[in-house]
Amino acid sequence: DFDWIFNQQEFDKSNLMATVTSDHHGRVLNAIENCIQFPNKVYPVEIDQLEPEGVKPTLWHFICLTNSKNQPTEIQCIGLDISDQKQTEQALRASNERYHYVNKATNDAIYDWDILKNQIDWGDGYQRIFGFNIYDEAYPLESWLSQIHPLDVERIKNSLQKSINDPKTQKWNADYLFRKWDGSFAHVEENGYIIRDVKGNATRIIGALRDVTRQKEEEQHLKLLESVVTNTSDAVVILEVDPTDKDVLRIVYTNNAFTNLTGINDADAIGKNPEFLFNSDLNLVTFDKVREFVENWQPVESEAFHLKKGEQDFWFSLSMHPVVNSEGRFTHWVAIAHDVSEQTKAQFKLEYKSRLLAAIAEVNSNF
């Protein structure tokens, strides 16, 4: 190990400090002093030894031997290369540090369940999400099960046990309601990785719980809205705004009522500019009038528009409202068309009768 330092000199004439990094000389001297003061006692000390290409961590054991009069006579040392051990320790520290910061940064409740000891260790996310402080108490599987909603607990318990018992299963996923500190329930999604021994027996599960309550509520809300849009008798059209030109609109969705009202199916409407729906000489309000509102992102409440479905004439009223995304940018328009054919026809008849009566009155006034 050290011939490259002493250049084949006799070791008994060499200074052992030449093999040690200068910042660790004090450790060696302190170990020697302790050995002399307390003979026959082993003193371990970590020392960085010099190498041709750097430094090697070593662990040395110093002991002072005595003569027949119990007087210190010599110090013997045994050194071990602990490079691999140090690398392992550094990797473990780095891993623990990453785990620590992941716990701080993530919104998930990370856990490590030691199945053999029946102990679950939770990360910081557990308290942030669910409000319980459980760091000073044992947390067995039964504590976790007690917080699952009564309607879910048997299903989850059976699913988990089935996955644990199957040696081929490495991942376990579940969603259920989990009680919070205030008595309310959060909708959570859990993902766990099952660690097994060489015989395939499950020994640990590393996983995370994610609170998806808001997501589930939004999904239910969207399903409700979708049901309303799908089943309403009014025609609903969603228009996408061209990112490069806010005045250019394209149809991206129509409901069944739109097809029933206009006779135009999805294939003939999707991707087109809605202006083709307003090409009728009978329209009192043209699409140009609608475009004025669109350019200024103002809601549209229009008069009756005319459309022809086959040989049949019909009229509809139009209501359009802009949609803003989470960044505050207008991206879409929602248009609702209501069939006002009967009202419009009745109005036309009334106007016709009024003009007819006016004409008769004018003729009579000339006699």
Side-chain angles (χ1 to χ4, degrees):
D1 286 339
F2 305 118
D3 186 57
W4 65 277
I5 295 178
F6 299 117
N7 295 322
Q8 298 182 348
Q9 297 177 18
E10 294 182 17
F11 284 112
D12 59 359
K13 296 180 181 180
S14 302
N15 185 354
L16 69 88
M17 288 298 191
T19 69
V20 181
T21 59
S22 58
D23 56 328
H24 282 188
H25 285 183
R27 293 187 180 185
V28 176
L29 296 175
N30 186 59
I32 291 174
E33 290 175 359
N34 287 332
C35 284
I36 294 173
Q37 186 175 0
F38 303 99
N40 301 312
K41 181 178 179 181
V42 176
Y43 285 90
V45 57
E46 289 188 13
I47 302 172
D48 285 344
Q49 300 281 173
L50 292 173
E51 282 195 315
E53 298 180 356
V55 174
K56 174 173 64 178
T58 58
L59 176 63
W60 286 80
H61 292 88
F62 288 72
I63 186 171
C64 181
L65 303 182
T66 59
N67 56 20
S68 58
K69 297 180 181 181
N70 202 31
Q71 296 173 331
T73 56
E74 67 179 43
I75 294 177
Q76 293 185 355
C77 311
I78 297 177
L80 302 173
D81 184 352
I82 57 171
S83 300
D84 292 341
Q85 176 184 335
K86 282 295 183 181
Q87 291 177 358
T88 301
E89 290 176 356
Q90 291 174 359
L92 181 59
R93 281 197 298 269
S95 178
N96 288 337
E97 186 177 68
R98 283 194 296 270
Y99 179 77
H100 172 75
Y101 285 118
V102 166
N103 264 318
K104 294 292 186 182
T106 185
N107 288 325
D108 297 349
I110 299 174
Y111 67 85
D112 181 352
W113 176 28
D114 188 327
I115 298 176
L116 302 181
K117 295 181 180 179
N118 191 22
Q119 170 64 25
I120 302 176
D121 293 322
W122 291 96
D124 296 337
Y126 184 87
Q127 183 175 5
R128 288 198 302 269
I129 297 174
F130 306 116
F132 296 104
N133 184 358
I134 42 78
Y135 299 115
D136 298 328
E137 59 186 61
Y139 197 103
L141 180 67
E142 290 72 21
S143 295
W144 169 71
L145 289 172
S146 68
Q147 291 179 236
I148 298 177
H149 195 282
L151 296 179
D152 292 330
V153 64
E154 284 301 318
R155 171 178 62 86
I156 297 302
K157 184 178 179 180
N158 293 336
S159 173
L160 176 60
Q161 196 61 50
K162 180 180 179 181
S163 297
I164 290 177
N165 293 339
D166 184 358
K168 296 181 179 180
T169 300
Q170 287 188 313
K171 294 182 179 180
W172 179 67
N173 311 101
D175 62 277
Y176 52 89
L177 294 176
F178 196 73
R179 182 171 56 87
K180 302 171 68 173
W181 69 275
D182 60 359
S184 64
F185 285 88
H187 200 127
V188 300
E189 290 182 352
E190 179 173 353
N191 295 293
Y193 183 80
I194 304 174
I195 300 174
R196 301 181 182 276
D197 60 20
V198 292
K199 296 182 179 180
N201 299 317
T203 58
R204 290 171 64 195
I205 296 182
I206 309 296
L209 271 67
R210 174 170 296 179
D211 186 353
V212 293
T213 304
R214 183 175 179 181
Q215 176 184 333
K216 290 295 182 179
E217 290 175 347
E218 289 177 350
E219 288 177 358
Q220 292 176 356
H221 184 63
L222 287 175
K223 287 181 180 179
L224 178 61
L225 291 178
E226 182 180 1
S227 176
V228 171
V229 170
T230 301
N231 297 300
T232 183
S233 59
D234 289 338
V236 177
V237 180
I238 299 178
L239 309 167
E240 182 182 51
V241 180
D242 191 318
T244 61
D245 188 348
K246 69 175 183 178
D247 299 333
V248 177
L249 305 177
R250 288 188 296 269
I251 298 175
V252 294
Y253 171 83
T254 61
N255 66 348
N256 293 332
F258 173 85
T259 301
N260 295 334
L261 178 66
T262 65
I264 303 172
N265 57 36
D266 287 350
D268 295 328
I270 301 299
K272 289 187 177 180
N273 189 303
E275 189 169 0
F276 80 97
L277 297 172
F278 300 85
N279 294 328
S280 174
D281 295 335
L282 297 180
N283 281 329
L284 302 177
V285 181
T286 65
F287 190 70
D288 291 336
K289 184 67 175 179
V290 174
R291 186 180 285 109
E292 291 180 12
F293 289 91
V294 171
E295 290 175 352
N296 296 302
W297 298 105
Q298 295 177 342
V300 178
E301 298 293 342
S302 77
E303 302 176 22
F305 283 94
H306 173 262
L307 269 177
K308 204 171 190 65
K309 181 180 179 181
E311 298 299 324
Q312 180 183 0
D313 292 318
F314 71 93
W315 285 260
F316 66 92
S317 65
L318 179 67
S319 174
M320 289 179 60
H321 293 269
V323 178
V324 181
N325 65 10
S326 58
E327 299 173 355
R329 185 168 56 88
F330 291 102
T331 59
H332 294 79
W333 285 83
V334 175
I336 300 175
H338 182 67
D339 188 352
V340 292
S341 299
E342 295 301 323
Q343 300 94 310
T344 303
K345 290 177 182 178
Q347 183 179 353
F348 283 167
K349 289 180 181 180
L350 182 61
E351 291 177 355
Y352 174 76
K353 289 182 179 180
S354 297
R355 289 196 297 271
L356 181 60
L357 290 174
I360 293 173
E362 183 177 354
V363 170
N364 290 336
S365 66
N366 293 329
F367 289 97

